Amino acid sequence: MKALRGARVLTPTGDTMEATVVFDRVIRQVIPGSPDVPGAETIPGDGLLLTPGMVDLHIHGIAGFDGCDGTPEALMAMSEALARHGITSFLPTTMTLPREQIRLILASVGRAMESPQPGARILGAHLEGPFISPERPGAQDPKFIAAPDPDLLEEFRPVIKVVTFAPERDPDHRGLNHMLRLGMIPSAGHSNASYREASEAFGLGVRSVTHLFNAMSPFQHREPGLVGAALDHRVHCEIILDGIHCHPAAVRLALKALGEDRLVPVSDSMRAADLGEGVFSLGGQRVTVSQRVARLDNGAIAGSVITLEDAVRNLRDFTGLPLERCILMASRNPSELLQDRSMGAIEPLRRADMVLWDRDRPVRTYVEGREVFSS
């Protein structure tokens, strides 16, 4: 048993209080103040901020590795790198690739989930493509776009947590209904859906939107598109907070429409995150990173090179919100979207997935009570 004493603890309401957190694999007690806890190993937290660990629902790669490398070793390297940035859980995210290659990637995620992970926990996979629109491919390779495949979903039911798809490409909702039956989270994205088509999908169970504003039908005053439907319905919306995918004013407007409980910060990072400029790859396509922007040879933006740590600082800078509330949006909101109440808050019986911050930098990360990073 451990007792982290005297830190400013971020509460589920977004406030902070000086408290001592007693934990092993899970949080046992949150005690106001800095009392001694007999029999517990004491960890000093004075002057530091203790928050729930952050959860990245949309990440391709970091530190030279990518989930699409198709090896558990790449995923373990990502796990270790993410812990340095205060991320305690993540969904490795696929690309639009040949079906057999996607199967190999999902199988590698499944194997990694069953093995001890050195840092951030692998919760499952985010299947971003191939069930998308050829009109809104973004950085996805359009030649591998396909209709929803029930067999693929069935085969990897324990692995796939989120499925990005274009609702208008599934007009009879068979794909959507299959995802829902399997307990997956359907997320509208890479889609040219009209406001009506998107609204219908939300009414039928789509609960999320993949990287709001990017690779989707835009808002227009006579046809609000997927963007307008997302802001007009109670769904969670990912936003890539690198200052490149979305103008800060767009982030502020989205926050006003969504509120702090439905905006989900994501990195959408590719393997160049944590590295410098150069030539890399994403989904088998060449990517050049220059001035912190990743682009395909055709000029399309190809993911980001930020981490979720960068994203919450940017969210603070773009909106003026306190950093603590931005961190809460990157921990509580993904957990609620996944309907996983084992994480996302500092309170008894939640997993001890926690991060100590010194001002706006993580200095220690715990995953299920185990210290996985210390600066």
Side-chain angles (χ1 to χ4, degrees):
M1 194 76 69
K2 300 175 183 177
L4 201 155
R5 291 180 58 193
R8 288 190 303 120
V9 176
L10 181 61
T11 70
T13 62
D15 300 315
T16 60
M17 59 179 282
E18 182 181 333
T20 293
V21 177
V22 182
F23 65 96
D24 42 36
R25 289 175 63 90
V26 301
I27 296 166
R28 298 298 178 182
Q29 291 178 283
V30 180
I31 308 169
S34 302
D36 287 325
V37 180
E41 175 191 344
T42 299
I43 303 169
D46 301 47
L48 302 177
L49 172 68
L50 182 68
T51 75
M54 296 187 293
V55 182
D56 199 342
L57 298 184
H58 191 147
I59 172 170
H60 298 280
I62 186 173
F65 299 94
D66 191 306
C68 288
D69 291 345
T71 66
E73 291 76 18
L75 293 164
M76 296 304 177
M78 290 174 62
S79 166
E80 185 173 11
L82 290 170
R84 299 196 295 266
H85 296 283
I87 295 127
T88 54
S89 298
F90 70 109
L91 295 183
T93 303
T94 66
M95 294 286 289
T96 297
L97 295 163
R99 191 67 50 89
E100 201 52 38
Q101 190 173 348
I102 291 174
R103 290 185 69 257
L104 291 173
I105 293 164
L106 293 175
S108 76
V109 174
R111 291 196 301 274
M113 290 170 67
E114 294 171 357
S115 305
Q117 292 132 47
R121 286 184 300 122
I122 300 169
L123 300 177
H126 179 160
L127 190 67
E128 187 187 19
F131 314 142
I132 61 174
S133 167
E135 297 171 288
R136 301 286 176 179
Q140 308 278 348
D141 192 334
K143 68 175 173 283
F144 299 120
I145 289 173
D149 180 351
D151 292 339
L152 181 71
L153 298 176
E154 288 277 1
E155 182 179 0
F156 293 100
R157 179 178 187 170
V159 175
I160 300 169
K161 303 300 181 187
V162 177
V163 181
T164 292
F165 80 117
E168 75 280 11
R169 301 265 296 171
D170 182 37
D172 58 4
H173 311 302
R174 291 178 62 189
L176 170 58
N177 289 334
H178 208 77
M179 296 170 208
L180 293 171
R181 185 176 65 79
L182 296 175
M184 297 169 183
I185 296 168
S187 186
H190 286 277
S191 164
N192 205 39
S194 66
Y195 175 88
R196 180 190 60 78
E197 290 168 326
S199 297
E200 183 179 6
F202 294 146
L204 291 170
V206 173
R207 296 192 288 115
S208 175
V209 172
T210 299
H211 46 51
L212 182 68
F213 299 119
N214 298 114
M216 64 182 58
S217 47
F219 177 87
Q220 296 177 344
H221 62 291
R222 291 193 181 92
E223 173 42 69
L226 176 51
V227 170
L231 298 178
D232 197 32
H233 291 75
R234 285 202 59 80
V235 294
H236 286 79
C237 294
E238 298 178 1
I239 297 189
I240 306 169
L241 290 155
D242 60 355
I244 296 159
H245 282 80
C246 298
H247 190 282
V251 175
R252 290 191 292 272
L253 290 168
L255 179 61
K256 289 177 182 178
L258 297 169
E260 293 180 36
D261 60 336
R262 290 188 291 125
L263 190 155
V264 180
V266 297
S267 70
D268 195 13
S269 65
M270 45 87 70
R271 70 174 75 243
D274 259 0
L275 303 177
E277 298 188 346
V279 178
F280 302 88
S281 66
L282 178 66
Q285 302 170 99
R286 192 173 80 150
V287 176
T288 301
V289 177
S290 177
Q291 298 180 331
R292 293 190 62 77
V293 182
R295 294 189 185 275
L296 300 181
D297 289 344
N298 65 9
I301 298 175
S304 86
V305 294
I306 65 167
T307 66
L308 203 52
E309 175 192 354
D310 300 315
V312 296
R313 283 195 296 268
N314 288 340
L315 183 57
R316 173 199 61 189
D317 295 343
F318 296 167
T319 66
L321 287 175
L323 180 69
E324 294 87 344
R325 282 158 60 188
C326 298
I327 294 170
L328 193 60
M329 294 161 69
S331 55
R332 176 197 61 201
N333 295 1
S335 304
E336 291 187 351
L337 176 58
L338 293 174
Q339 297 181 325
D340 186 344
R341 291 190 57 79
S342 72
M343 59 184 186
I346 304 289
E347 59 184 14
L349 301 184
R350 303 265 188 161
R351 283 194 180 101
D353 292 354
M354 307 180 297
V355 181
L356 269 174
W357 300 72
D358 186 357
R359 292 177 289 275
D360 64 355
R361 303 284 171 175
V363 294
R364 200 175 304 153
T365 303
Y366 296 91
V367 174
E368 293 187 322
R370 180 172 56 95
E371 184 182 287
V372 294
F373 164 70
S374 181
S375 63

